[in-house]
Amino acid sequence: MNTSGDKPADFRENLIRYGGDVYPEIVDRAQGCYVWDSTGKKILDFTSGQMCATVGHSHPNIVAAIKKSCDTALHLFSGMIPRSVVELADKLAKIVPKPLRKSLLLSTGSESNEAAIKMAKLYTGGFEVIGLGGSWHGVTANAGAVSFASDRRGYGPGMPGSFVIPEPNAYRCPVKHCRDRCDLTCMKIGFEMYDMQSAGAPAAVIAEPVISAGGVIVPPAGYFAALQAEARKRGMLLIFDEAQTAFGRLGHWFAASHLQVTPDIMTVSKTLGGGMPLAGVITTDEIEDLCHRRGFAFYTSHVSDPLPSTVGLAVLQTIEAENLLERSQEMGAYLAERLAELQGRFEEIGDVRGMGLLRGIELVHDRETREPHHELGALTTQRCLELGLSMNIRRRPERGSVWRIAPPLTVTTADIDLAMTIFDQALAETRDALARRSAAGKTPAQRAA
Ligand SMILES: Cc1ncc(COP(=O)(O)O)c(C=O)c1O
């Protein structure tokens, strides 16, 4: 137990470990695209915090919105609706694809998917929900049951009626059918398997427009229209989880607008709050009305709270004022160009994919066999951090080793250049060190061969 000074011997000693790698130093400050740790080290944040700080950390408009809330209202009785909630719902109704219109404003992405799935169950009268392999929709009962990028072991059964269909990963086809061009066989097989198992109570299909935690998988053109058709055939609602993809990450207000597929329910979270806990469920008048008549209740302590909704408005105003949708496309194209350059020089970069400012880089031992190079991924991530760049690596035996990079939309070409210089150096050093280690482990005869 710590008894002296202001810094504990191990600052984690009173904390429950909640999964994932923990940065070895306390972090003191975050501003724009950078964070500073307690040793004064400045780190370029290429994950926008936990994929949320799209307008940059502590943007002055967000700070002003928080101050404004301090002067008006921070929290209210859940049945009292503040002006900021009315304004945010109005704004969302204007920018979402029609006929989506009505919003429920909550705190986290898990909560928004929990509410969306409950609405779909109430509306359809069914309880069966299909998710895509590699997806992540949250940690609560309904959302976690259709999340397949996380570890599910040790907690007993998930929600009854949860199904998975294989994800459209053309680089690493889960049904071992395609290579580089997905022909939707994965979806056809998935629905056939579902039909075989269904108890006749379909409710919803839920999907991320880009499967992010599962390895930044961008489904092929036509995928979501086909998914919607399969859902409709069975009387299921289509839910788009746009936690990461909405509000500019892909260069558009929503992936749905870009894909020209309008789901029955859309959930938004991370990127709406710009770093504050804020999430939304957005649906049509018809679904909202029927759910209400059937007694829909999702009454949380922080539903319709004034502080986060004031911040959400500031995030949307900032995206418009600073042209961040266009900027995301421009900076995304520049980042893609720089990554393609690196791929040209490193055989270990098997694939580079993504859209806008959400990019994935997959590491392999060999471009032909595509055997994932987990060690190179882990060690390079560590070296990048030492050199001042934070990137997130997703490692799963079945899904490869993929860096997920998502800088704030306010990122500059100078920031991208700095990141690429660090990444280049870290990757080269780590690759060479691993090659030396492997050569040292060989017999002279093996080395000569
Ligand atoms: C696509 C997606 N949906 C939902 C969630 C869950 O959001 P939260 O962690 O805010 O509950 C996440 C979190 O990473 C996510 O990436």
Side-chain angles (χ1 to χ4, degrees), residues 56-388:
H57 291 285
S58 307
H59 190 289
N61 294 351
I62 292 189
V63 174
I66 292 171
K67 286 185 177 153
K68 181 178 164 195
S69 244
C70 293
D71 294 336
T72 50
L74 293 169
H75 165 74
L76 294 172
F77 173 67
S78 297
M80 292 180 177
I81 308 292
R83 189 174 304 282
S84 54
V85 162
V86 175
E87 288 175 4
L88 183 54
D90 284 354
K91 179 69 189 169
L92 289 170
K94 286 198 180 89
I95 59 176
V96 285
K98 307 283 172 285
L100 296 176
R101 183 160 84 109
K102 299 214 165 182
S103 289
L104 168 68
L105 294 170
L106 300 163
S107 310
T108 67
S110 303
E111 251 189 334
S112 64
N113 289 320
E114 200 67 21
I117 292 172
K118 282 186 154 182
M119 288 185 93
K121 289 182 176 181
L122 203 54
Y123 178 82
T124 58
F127 65 93
E128 293 174 354
V129 183
I130 299 177
L132 268 51
S135 58
W136 182 299
H137 300 295
V139 294
T140 52
N142 279 287
V146 284
S147 294
F148 302 98
S150 52
D151 211 333
R152 300 160 64 95
R153 290 183 184 88
Y155 308 111
M159 291 298 285
S162 304
F163 295 85
V164 60
I165 61 172
E167 68 278 23
N169 183 347
Y171 189 72
R172 208 171 276 293
C173 177
V175 293
K176 313 286 180 279
H177 173 74
C178 302
R179 192 173 161 99
D180 298 326
R181 241 194 92 257
C182 172
D183 67 2
L184 310 197
T185 298
C186 50
M187 188 195 297
K188 287 180 205 124
I189 292 175
F191 276 100
E192 279 171 23
M193 302 304 288
Y194 163 71
D195 290 340
M196 233 182 268
Q197 299 169 80
S198 172
V205 177
I206 183 167
E208 296 163 75
V210 173
I211 305 167
S212 177
V216 192
I217 297 159
V218 183
Y223 182 84
F224 287 106
L227 190 70
Q228 185 166 52
E230 293 295 340
R232 286 200 173 143
K233 233 189 267 174
R234 292 163 178 81
M236 300 171 116
L237 299 190
L238 177 64
I239 303 172
F240 269 1
D241 175 355
E242 294 231 24
Q244 297 198 19
T245 51
F247 311 118
R249 171 61 69 209
L250 303 184
H252 307 276
W253 275 124
F254 303 97
S257 359
H258 167 70
L259 293 166
Q260 298 187 320
V261 173
T262 305
D264 301 292
I265 307 179
M266 178 194 284
T267 58
V268 291
S269 49
K270 293 173 181 283
T271 55
L272 179 58
M276 288 293 292
L278 172 62
V281 180
I282 311 169
T283 193
T284 63
D285 288 5
E286 195 239 325
I287 293 173
E288 190 276 341
D289 188 54
L290 188 65
C291 285
H292 171 70
R293 285 191 280 118
R294 288 185 177 165
F296 176 67
F298 205 87
Y299 199 86
T300 73
S301 304
H302 296 288
V303 66
S304 296
D305 247 357
L307 169 62
S309 44
T310 305
V311 171
L313 274 169
V315 168
L316 300 187
Q317 281 154 5
T318 304
I319 290 172
E320 282 181 329
E322 299 185 9
N323 296 320
L324 293 181
L325 302 183
E326 295 77 12
R327 190 178 175 80
S328 171
Q329 291 181 15
E330 279 165 32
M331 290 299 114
Y334 182 69
L335 177 58
E337 215 177 276
R338 296 296 320 265
L339 290 173
E341 231 175 77
L342 283 181
Q343 191 184 18
R345 286 191 287 111
F346 288 92
E347 269 298 299
E348 294 79 6
I349 299 182
D351 195 27
V352 174
R353 51 187 181 247
M355 285 175 67
L357 280 170
L358 178 58
R359 301 279 160 177
I361 307 160
E362 177 143 4
L363 285 178
V364 291
H365 279 280
D366 174 307
R367 285 193 183 172
E368 187 49 36
T369 64
R370 300 187 177 179
E371 185 195 340
H373 206 329
H374 295 300
E375 193 177 19
L376 182 63
L379 294 174
T380 308
T381 309
Q382 208 177 309
R383 185 69 186 127
C384 280
L385 261 182
E386 287 163 11
L387 295 169

